[in-house]
Amino acid sequence: MGLTYQSTQNNAMTDLYRIDKEEGQFIIALAGNPNTGKSTVFNAITGLHQHTGNWPGKTVVNARGEFRQEGKENILVDLPGTYSLFASSVEEEVARDFICFGNADAVIVVADATCLERSLNLVFQVMELTTKVVLCINLIDEAKKRHIKIDAKGIEKDLGVPVVLCAARSGIGVEKLKETAVKVAAGEIIPKPVPVKYDDKVEELIKLLLPDLRDTSADVSVRWMALRMLDGDEKLLSAMSAHMGELALEDNRSLSVLQKELPDKETLRDGISEAIYRRIEDLKAKCIQEDSEVNARDKKIDNIITSKRFGLPIMLLVLALVFWITVTGANIPSSLLADLLFYIEDKFTDLFSYLNAPAWLHGVLILGLYRTLAWVVSVMLPPMAIFFPLFTILEDLGFLPRVAFNMDHLFKKACAHGKQCLTMIMGFGCNAAGIVSCRIIESPRERMIAILTNNFVPCNGRFPTLIAISSVFLVALGGNTFGIMPALAVTAMIVIGIVVTLLVSYLLSKTVLKGIPSTFTLELPPYRVPKIGRVLYTSMIDRSVFVLKRAVVVAAPAGAFIWILANISVGDISILGHMVNFFDPFGRLIGLDGYILMAFLLGLPANEIVLPILLMAYLSTGSMAEYDSLEALRNILVGHGWTYLTALNTMLFSLLHWPCATTLITIRKETGSIKWTIVSALLPTIIAIAVCFCTTVIYKLVGKLF
């Protein structure tokens, strides 16, 4: 006997991928390359609203849904996108292991009709693994626009598996796909995949292994197992051992002789890949016709947008435009929302007076809790409601993958991942959303770097502080009325944030997160017209409301707590006053003061409330205050000893200090580690203190010299 199969502890690992099902119910796995519209197919079949996007890596965990076919419920599992079963990331390993070791009754492989040949490598690998395969060629509507003709019957005959043409966004072919998948799962359609023929020596070795492998009880294709044994992918062999038990070859003289004649494993795998791609080329020549002139149009646009000369300037202009629309466009709705919410506050106050409620109750609930809530909602919601739809439109157009492509070389120099810039862009809206978006980075090491550095891009909560302080001091300094100097100052803060991100990423990758930068495999998807309905749904429900809800949950109770601190006295001064006196010496050392440090500490729940807390402490009003004009704000700050150094350091500290509570909770959830959550708070804090200390020393030295 050549190969032995030991079943010790098999179920412990296999059960991770096994889904309970009822009698007569089928489990269908949905696989495919990233950016083939796989999640859209999933939504079309199940009716769910999983987030989809025009860039790779949107599906970062398995999603599960159900669909009815001929009166019976079936389960559909949407796997993370993968280019190959030779996985290079955690998500790709999850997809591979579910296909290999899960209990799926059939596998739908989704391919992009506009670049079908890219998807066929995975199709051939899945066909080697299981016979129950359905090929879904999605985006046939886009292929038609590009004058690409696909002979589905020819492909079906060549591959030996059912082929369904789809345009999932329009629902074309979805019913046919469901019907075909269920029939394959039920055995009513029996696919007969035509395998790829490899080098003669490889085929001879496979034949030698097959008799022994047939003795195993594994539910995996024996030909596929033989190939994996030969190419020796250690990760995959390890996974096979974990799920199927130890695999071992006993003495086989013929096998040993032939193995010695084989090239090294890398060359062998290259040979296997070449055989697959030769087969793909043959199939393409027979079954796919393309109009090269139409496809050349996108290439011309890409030659400009991704060029070294124009790529970064265009990217900066587009992002600056989005940023400008967000900041300026949010002013009016923010003001209207604030008016409404503070009008309601007045009505609540009237109600409390009418009921003769005690002053402390009105203070805690209205001046503390409700007013904080009103600040957070009026400041955060309008920018998010503008920024996220614009961001989603860029995403749907296919612009964001090109941004990642342009930025990749900068992040490569910092030993980080090109997709990190996409997570940073999300961080401009909200750092918590930026942390969640780090899931698109395949490498755990590079994902952790992106999580730890996302805080260095200012979120919507910090922009009000940056804009207000720069306006107060730089308009007075420059004397202009067009807001150019404040705009340049805020832009400079953003550039500083990006530079710090790159430097810290480099330092982390050379110390506690050492490793080799992973290869950035990024397909540039075709340009697509955004679906406005989906953009609004995704932006408002999936992002804005979700992030706002978490911020409100944290900020509202904090408002009540701050009011209590400001209104309970110990000795002659309030608890808030004691805190100011405690922090003041250290604050002066780094060019700030005790009030500012205390405001940042109490602003941990949400960055939006830092400036109101600071004003409350300066004015000793006992509740968070509103400032009527920039001039009034300037008088208050200058009256408490603010200089240009104080303004600069407050902006730098706001940019670089610890993440807000919502972001910290998100980091805890995403990393699953208290240790890394603490690091994510300490690292920016140390940097913020160091930077402020350096600017203070330099400022004082320059002052002495001149």
Side-chain angles (χ1 to χ4, degrees):
M1 178 173 181
L3 188 72
T4 60
Y5 172 68
Q6 300 172 359
S7 59
T8 308
Q9 296 181 339
N10 279 353
N11 292 338
M13 290 300 291
T14 306
D15 284 351
L16 291 173
Y17 297 96
R18 290 199 175 271
I19 296 173
D20 292 332
K21 60 179 180 179
E22 297 173 1
E23 189 175 350
Q25 199 174 35
F26 296 115
I27 298 172
I28 312 290
L30 193 64
N33 290 174
N35 203 42
T36 55
K38 190 165 56 64
S39 296
T40 309
V41 173
F42 177 82
N43 289 339
I45 292 177
T46 62
L48 297 178
H49 295 286
Q50 189 184 19
H51 177 54
T52 60
N54 192 13
W55 53 334
K58 295 304 296 182
T59 306
V60 289
V61 293
N62 285 354
R64 174 179 165 175
E66 295 184 349
F67 68 95
R68 291 185 74 79
Q69 181 63 27
E70 296 181 349
K72 291 183 179 178
E73 289 283 348
N74 299 284
I75 298 171
L76 185 68
V77 181
D78 185 15
L79 304 175
T82 178
Y83 292 96
S84 164
L85 295 181
F86 302 110
S88 61
S89 71
V90 175
E91 290 76 22
E92 289 180 341
E93 285 177 9
V94 169
R96 178 200 66 192
D97 289 350
F98 187 87
I99 298 171
C100 293
F101 313 116
N103 56 335
D105 297 294
V107 179
I108 298 173
V109 185
V110 181
D112 185 346
T114 62
C115 48
L116 188 58
E117 62 275 19
R118 292 186 198 171
S119 302
L120 289 175
N121 179 38
L122 180 66
V123 175
F124 279 113
Q125 289 187 22
V126 175
M127 281 168 45
E128 283 181 338
L129 188 61
T130 173
T131 59
K132 294 190 171 184
V133 181
V134 178
L135 173 59
C136 166
I137 302 180
N138 190 30
L139 301 170
I140 56 165
D141 49 348
E142 290 190 14
K144 189 176 179 182
K145 289 177 187 173
R146 293 163 177 269
H147 300 187
I148 299 173
K149 294 180 181 176
I150 297 171
D151 178 7
K153 290 291 180 189
I155 295 174
E156 189 169 300
K157 185 179 177 183
D158 191 278
L159 296 181
V161 301
V163 175
V164 181
L165 298 179
C166 269
R169 290 200 298 177
S170 311
I172 298 170
V174 173
E175 288 301 319
K176 177 71 175 174
L177 180 63
K178 286 197 289 185
E179 180 188 341
T180 306
V182 169
K183 283 186 176 179
V184 168
E188 295 176 26
I189 296 176
I190 302 174
K192 295 179 180 176
V194 180
V196 176
K197 192 175 185 309
Y198 299 110
D199 180 80
D200 290 343
K201 281 194 172 61
V202 174
E203 290 291 340
E204 200 170 342
L205 270 170
I206 291 173
K207 284 179 184 174
L208 278 172
L209 286 170
L210 285 181
D212 295 331
L213 288 167
R214 287 196 182 102
D215 292 339
T216 68
S217 57
D219 295 329
V220 181
S221 160
V222 289
R223 179 180 170 84
W224 177 83
M225 288 175 67
L227 273 169
R228 300 293 77 80
M229 295 292 289
L230 292 178
D231 70 41
D233 176 9
E234 291 182 3
K235 279 188 176 180
L236 189 51
L237 289 176
S238 173
M240 288 168 68
S241 296
H243 293 285
M244 299 159 53
E246 290 297 326
L247 300 171
L249 286 170
E250 291 185 355
D251 270 350
N252 184 318
R253 194 172 300 280
S254 303
L255 182 68
S256 301
V257 172
L258 273 173
Q259 277 183 318
K260 288 178 183 175
E261 296 179 20
L262 283 176
D264 61 85
K265 289 177 180 176
E266 190 173 340
T267 308
L268 177 66
R269 185 177 293 184
D270 287 344
I272 291 174
S273 297
E274 281 178 20
I276 290 176
Y277 281 103
R278 275 198 302 273
R279 177 83 180 273
I280 292 171
E281 286 299 320
D282 290 343
L283 189 147
K284 183 183 175 184
K286 287 188 288 185
C287 305
I288 302 172
Q289 293 180 2
E290 295 184 53
D291 185 338
S292 56
E293 288 187 12
V294 174
N295 292 326
R297 183 190 58 196
D298 278 7
K299 289 180 182 175
K300 286 180 182 175
I301 298 173
D302 276 340
N303 287 341
I304 298 172
I305 290 181
T306 61
S307 71
K308 289 184 179 178
R309 178 179 296 179
F310 301 112
L312 285 177
I314 290 174
M315 179 197 75
L316 290 173
L317 279 174
V318 171
L319 294 180
L321 180 63
V322 169
F323 180 64
W324 180 79
I325 293 172
T326 301
V327 172
T328 56
N331 286 337
I332 294 176
S334 274
S335 175
L336 293 174
L337 202 52
D339 289 344
L340 172 65
L341 293 173
F342 285 110
Y343 171 78
I344 295 173
E345 180 192 308
D346 293 339
K347 295 302 173 188
F348 274 131
T349 299
D350 292 342
L351 178 63
F352 273 65
S353 298
Y354 177 76
L355 296 174
N356 289 320
W360 65 266
L361 186 63
H362 173 260
V364 172
L365 293 182
I366 304 302
L367 300 181
L369 191 148
Y370 180 83
R371 186 171 284 189
T372 307
L373 192 67
W375 266 96
V376 171
V377 171
S378 60
V379 171
M380 284 186 71
L381 183 57
M384 283 198 296
I386 296 172
F387 179 81
F388 282 135
L390 292 174
F391 187 84
T392 308
I393 287 172
L394 289 180
E395 185 181 325
D396 279 14
L397 278 172
F399 183 74
L400 293 187
R402 286 154 177 91
V403 170
F405 181 86
N406 291 334
M407 293 288 288
D408 184 46
H409 68 284
L410 289 176
F411 284 93
K412 271 286 183 286
K413 288 180 180 176
C415 299
H417 200 287
K419 288 182 185 174
Q420 189 172 331
C421 73
L422 297 174
T423 67
M424 289 171 63
I425 294 168
M426 288 294 288
F428 278 119
C430 172
N431 291 128
I435 298 299
V436 174
S437 70
C438 291
R439 295 178 185 180
I440 65 171
I441 298 174
E442 293 85 355
S443 159
R445 183 188 73 84
E446 290 163 341
R447 189 187 312 134
M448 184 63 75
I449 290 174
I451 288 174
L452 294 177
T453 56
N454 191 272
N455 182 61
F456 296 125
V457 290
C459 63
N460 276 329
R462 282 180 279 174
F463 275 124
T465 303
L466 296 176
I467 293 169
I469 293 175
S470 62
S471 300
V472 161
F473 279 85
L474 296 178
V475 166
L477 178 68
N480 70 76
T481 57
F482 300 103
I484 295 173
M485 288 293 285
L488 290 177
V490 176
T491 304
M493 287 294 135
I494 294 168
V495 173
I496 290 171
I498 294 172
V499 171
V500 171
T501 298
L502 292 170
L503 288 174
V504 173
S505 297
Y506 181 79
L507 290 174
L508 286 172
S509 66
K510 294 296 179 186
T511 53
V512 293
L513 290 170
K514 283 182 180 176
I516 301 170
S518 61
T519 304
F520 186 14
T521 305
L522 176 65
E523 290 181 27
L524 294 181
Y527 296 97
R528 293 171 182 155
V529 178
K531 294 275 187 181
I532 298 302
R534 196 189 69 78
V535 165
L536 291 177
Y537 176 85
T538 303
S539 308
M540 296 303 297
I541 304 298
D542 211 23
R543 291 178 177 170
S544 301
V545 174
F546 178 70
V547 173
L548 183 67
K549 181 182 172 186
R550 290 202 297 192
V552 166
V553 167
V554 174
F561 179 66
I562 293 165
W563 187 91
I564 293 170
L565 291 180
N567 287 273
I568 295 179
S569 296
V570 177
D572 295 332
I573 57 175
S574 65
I575 296 175
L576 212 60
H578 284 292
M579 292 174 66
V580 169
N581 291 337
F582 177 78
F583 289 119
D584 200 59
F586 183 70
R588 301 280 174 191
L589 185 68
I590 59 173
L592 303 173
D593 63 28
Y595 289 94
I596 300 169
L597 282 185
M598 183 273 304
F600 276 112
L601 276 174
L602 296 180
L604 175 67
N607 287 303
E608 295 80 359
I609 58 178
V610 169
L611 201 53
I613 292 173
L614 181 61
L615 292 176
M616 180 174 69
Y618 277 151
L619 299 174
S620 300
T621 58
S623 64
M624 285 194 293
E626 295 177 71
Y627 47 93
D628 298 322
S629 65
L630 290 178
E631 187 59 31
L633 176 60
R634 186 174 190 278
N635 290 336
I636 294 169
L637 299 180
V638 172
H640 284 81
W642 274 49
T643 63
Y644 287 114
L645 173 67
T646 318
L648 173 65
N649 280 358
T650 304
M651 291 175 71
L652 287 171
F653 201 83
S654 177
L655 173 75
L656 303 173
H657 77 297
W658 54 80
C660 71
T662 306
T663 305
L664 287 172
I665 291 170
T666 307
I667 292 172
R668 171 70 179 86
K669 287 182 178 177
E670 291 299 309
T671 63
S673 164
I674 294 176
K675 182 188 78 174
W676 285 114
T677 307
I678 294 172
V679 171
S680 70
L682 289 179
L683 182 67
T685 303
I686 292 169
I687 291 172
I689 291 171
V691 169
C692 288
F693 180 74
C694 290
T695 56
T696 304
V697 171
I698 293 169
Y699 183 86
K700 289 180 178 176
L701 285 175
V702 172
K704 286 181 181 177
L705 291 175
F706 300 97

